[in-house]
Amino acid sequence: LPFLTAAQKRTLLTTLDPLERLRQAVAALREHLAEQDVAESIAKDVQEGVDRQQREFLLRRQLDAVRKELAELNGEPEDEGEDYRARVEAADLPEEVRKAAFKEVEKLERASDQSPEGGWIRTWLDTVLELPWNFRTEDAYDIPGAREVLDADHAGLQDVKERITEYLAVRKRRAERGLGVVGGRRGGAVLALVGPPGVGKTSLGESVARAMGREFVRVALGGVRDEAEIRGHRRTYVGALPGRIVRAVKEAGSMNPVVLLDEVDKVGADYRGDPSSALLEVLDPAQNHTFRDHYLEVELDLSDVVFLATANVLEAIPQPLLDRMEVVQLDGYTEDEKVTIARDHLLPRQLEQAGLVADEVGFDESALRKLAAEYTREAGVRSLERAVSRVLRKVAAERELDRAELPYRVGVDELRKLIGRPHHTPESAQDPAERRTAVPGVATGLAVTGAGGDVLYVEASLADPETGASGLTLTGQLGDVMKESAHIALSYLRSRGVEVELPVGDLKDRGIHLHVPAGAVPKDGPSAGVTMTTALASLLSGRQVRPDVAMTGEVSLTGRVLPIGGVKQKLLAAHRAGVTTVIIPQRNEADLDDVPEEILEGLDVHPVTEVRQVLELALTPAESAAPPAHEVPVAA
């Protein structure tokens, strides 16, 4: 038994019992066989590992040989690291970016083929090399030509056109005097276009880029909740990407594009961060020349980019972000502008969509005006475009059914046959007995919504004393501020009603109900204060509110009429609704400079300072009034 040790052999020899000696020998043999099995298993595993490594080594050598042959055929460097090094050397990169790129190339050359870091480095280098670090398009310094492009693409919107013209004029003078870069910053701009839907905010970005001779990129921010969408992800994350700003610059192919940040008021926030806070550096002209994306980790100069942000509601934009932008209000189109837009822009586009040409279907201007005034009521032109499209589809269908012949002329009489009756008949066009203000206690106000300006009716009624009702009831989904305006109006009339010759003695004994249709639409704001006061005064005096009068303004406890916002949008809404007389606060008189001349010519605007003046203008004369409210148990 050669596998026994000397001690085991000595033990066997000293054991005299043959049976016991045999048991010890068998046990030693079993241990030896077990050790041999383990040794053979290990040797087999080692041999298999060596064989696999040898096979992989041979395959990789063959793969390298194939790559070498392909590189020689294509004239490319054999080593991937050498390839990236050559690309970095050939690229026109800023000095700091070049240093960072060479550092990553060295890491790539040291990394093994199996390391996942190699893939991250290659993706980062590809991104850096694709960015147009030192390429800029030449601005078009033909200022009259740029203004012609803006005028041809958009009717109205004078404020935006003036601002872009000013920007180009300043850029031209700076270029002529060699003032390209001052303090590391260039002459970019950050404009916020705020207005109702359908007024052309998004399409204006393309016109601005074309007028300036720059590339245009649109970045949709509606519903974005992740802060990394703006600043990018860290490179250590799987599937990391640069932020939308860097991708926009890469897509544009230049460092001075026009970037449209669409729907900036719809940006959300959750546990992943606040994207609107990440936009603070992007949209700050004093900081964005050193913008640092989390993925790139090198500085990117955004100071030459023209940022245009669009929003529907100004209040939804965070104040720090709003402070970094120059706000340009787009308050909707007048009826004349809508007719011009429909004739010059919407109709040609919808003719093409319907498979028709201009010689086959034509619109009278009166038909376009009726479409804009009575078939649609909006600040923008989207519904108007849908109405034009609907008319053209009807004409095409009638022609295919042999019920109409081309060419077809669409006039006012044809509109009703094609698309039915109008949906928005002005209040002034209705029979006097059917108007809302035909009874005391109803006044016409003006409001601003996310879709532009609109008229707002306030209805008031007094409860019968026998019912025992008391207090003030408010309905119509009113917000806290609007509810406070109603209480202020009631308190003013209780304390000062005698001064304006109103019978207010029995107000304490009767319940008052104020309702603001439409009841399903939430409403808020202080600008309905004078409207509520007028409705209550009309109810108490029995004098109707003039049907051609609309009003807006905040009211105080002392009867002062305080300034409000959105005057231009409210006057446009009054004009659309057929109102001829508008009452506004005296301190808002300066806002009339922004209202188009043709609107002011069609409206009789009265700036007032006190509620007494409002009541004198809004209520019908006392001799033609109905009996006062204290003689009529139940009013409007």
Side-chain angles (χ1 to χ4, degrees), residues 81-258:
E82 293 180 7
D83 179 25
Y84 277 107
R85 182 176 292 277
R87 288 173 61 188
V88 171
E89 290 175 351
D92 185 15
L93 302 176
E95 188 59 33
E96 293 299 322
V97 179
R98 183 182 296 275
K99 289 180 182 178
F102 276 128
K103 188 180 294 185
E104 295 299 323
V105 169
E106 292 172 0
K107 289 182 183 178
L108 180 63
E109 291 173 343
R110 293 195 302 267
S112 65
D113 293 336
Q114 293 83 18
S115 173
E117 189 179 8
W120 303 341
I121 296 173
R122 284 189 290 271
T123 306
W124 185 87
L125 287 169
D126 288 336
T127 302
V128 169
L129 292 170
E130 287 171 3
L131 283 171
W133 293 97
N134 289 313
F135 178 77
R136 286 175 169 80
T137 55
E138 195 66 31
D139 282 342
Y141 291 133
D142 179 11
I143 310 301
R147 184 56 189 258
E148 288 176 6
V149 170
L150 293 173
D151 287 336
D153 288 352
H154 291 270
L157 309 181
Q158 298 303 322
D159 289 344
V160 187
K161 295 175 183 177
E162 289 291 338
R163 181 63 183 87
I164 297 302
T165 306
E166 294 165 7
Y167 173 79
L168 287 175
V170 171
R171 290 277 299 186
K172 181 179 180 180
R173 294 189 65 83
R174 286 169 60 90
E176 290 173 350
R177 299 189 177 186
L179 300 174
V181 181
V182 178
R185 304 176 186 88
R186 300 176 189 270
V190 181
L191 300 181
L193 309 179
V194 181
V199 296
K201 299 185 297 296
T202 303
S203 60
L204 189 64
E206 298 182 35
S207 300
V208 169
R210 189 162 60 255
M212 299 176 66
R214 293 190 175 195
E215 299 294 330
F216 173 75
V217 185
R218 176 178 170 269
V219 179
L221 295 180
V224 170
R225 291 182 165 278
D226 192 354
E227 176 259 350
E229 287 285 334
I230 307 299
R231 284 191 170 275
H233 305 84
R234 299 288 181 186
R235 275 192 285 163
T236 52
Y237 294 138
V238 176
L241 285 173
R244 294 197 181 197
I245 305 301
V246 173
R247 279 182 274 167
V249 172
K250 183 172 73 171
E251 181 183 341
S254 71
M255 293 300 291
N256 61 341
V258 174

Side-chain angles (χ1 to χ4, degrees), residues 45 74 82 107 195 218 221 252 262 301 309 328 348 371 374 386 394 447 456 483 496 499 525 552 564 574 603:
D45 292 342
N74 298 327
E82 293 180 7
K107 289 182 183 178
R218 176 178 170 269
L221 295 180
D262 213 5
D301 185 3
V328 179
L371 278 178
E374 298 186 21
R386 283 193 286 267
K394 279 286 186 181
L456 188 76
K483 291 177 181 178
R496 303 290 183 91
E499 297 178 14
T552 181
I564 40 79
L603 294 175

